[in-house]
Amino acid sequence: MFTIKKNALSFIIIISAMFHFSVQATAQRIISLAPHTTELIYALGMGEHLVGVSDYSNYPPQAEQLPSVANYNGLDFEAIMQLKPDLIVAWQGGNKPQDIARLSSLGFSVYSSAPQSPDDISKDIVKLGETLGRSEQALILANQFQAELDQLKQRYLTQAKIRVFYYMWTAPLMTIGADAWATKLLDICGATQIFNDSMVAYPEVSKEQVISRQPTLLIAAMKIKELDAQQFWQPTHSLLKAPVVVVNPDELHRFTPRLINGLTSMCKQINGF
């Protein structure tokens, strides 16, 4: 019986090694189609193999030196073909489905990242690590991320829900509904978004609507100074007393381990600890 188990284990190890070698042998030229997948590829030690990225791939800083082949409008297929990638890492939900389908039809190997909740990030890291031949490193990274996320959840688990207005743009004033990514982050912090009853994930609202719902805190998920955020709400100060804080949208809205930094900071600003 021991011999059979030992042989079976040996077979598994050989197959795993063959898969690892195969991925390593092919994933030498990688294209990333989203800022968060660019970050993950670097985090898994494969940044040197990146030959193309998407617009706004600005972390780590060296990613900005790579040519962009994707933006909000879609993919630059001509540029992608010229770069001859062995692997393309796409964002299912960010890249257009027809663009991802076309990449596959052209014969490219495509990995699709598709986190729907903060807990999905650790799973995505593991799967991408397997695809890149970085399984061991991915498992360490994923476990560390999940442990820190679970700690945050426990810290604010019994907090009374604080009513906040979370917005990412001011012209127009754009907030989040119940199905938005950031709503799940606020829930971890023990906060609730005042437009959770919206029929859409990212509704446009007016200052008057915000005033009518009287949030306890205003959260600007934007790359602006806090003074600028305060000045935006200054005309409503007599009707809306809620203070405004600024949070880092890159850390919060990208599905990477950096989410912990942004989430920790936001939770502290909401709760005071």
Side-chain angles (χ1 to χ4, degrees), residues 173-233:
L173 188 57
M174 183 175 290
T175 185
I176 54 175
D179 295 330
W181 170 263
T183 299
K184 299 168 185 176
L185 304 182
L186 291 171
D187 186 60
I188 292 173
C189 293
T192 183
Q193 216 310 99
I194 61 172
F195 287 97
N196 272 356
D197 58 347
S198 171
M199 299 297 290
V200 296
Y202 298 95
E204 294 180 12
V205 297
S206 66
K207 283 185 177 180
E208 289 73 21
Q209 287 176 297
V210 177
I211 292 170
S212 69
R213 301 199 179 200
Q214 288 294 307
T216 302
L217 182 68
L218 307 170
I219 303 177
M222 300 170 63
K223 292 183 177 181
I224 58 173
K225 296 179 180 179
E226 192 162 304
L227 179 60
D228 294 332
Q230 291 170 350
Q231 289 178 343
F232 176 76
W233 293 101

Side-chain angles (χ1 to χ4, degrees), residues 117-122 142-156 181 184-185 188 259-260 263-264:
S117 71
D119 289 293
D120 289 340
I121 293 176
S122 55
N143 286 340
Q144 180 180 347
F145 169 82
Q146 193 62 49
E148 292 174 340
L149 180 64
D150 290 343
Q151 286 177 359
L152 279 176
K153 289 180 179 179
Q154 287 300 315
R155 184 179 305 167
Y156 301 104
W181 170 263
K184 299 168 185 176
L185 304 182
I188 292 173
L259 172 68
I260 297 299
L263 191 54
T264 299

Side-chain angles (χ1 to χ4, degrees), residues 21 26 39 86 116 124 132 147 152 159 234 258 264 270:
F21 175 80
T26 56
E39 286 192 29
D86 304 308
Q116 300 297 312
D124 191 42
L132 296 175
L152 279 176
Q159 285 299 107
Q234 184 60 37
R258 281 206 301 157
T264 299
I270 292 173

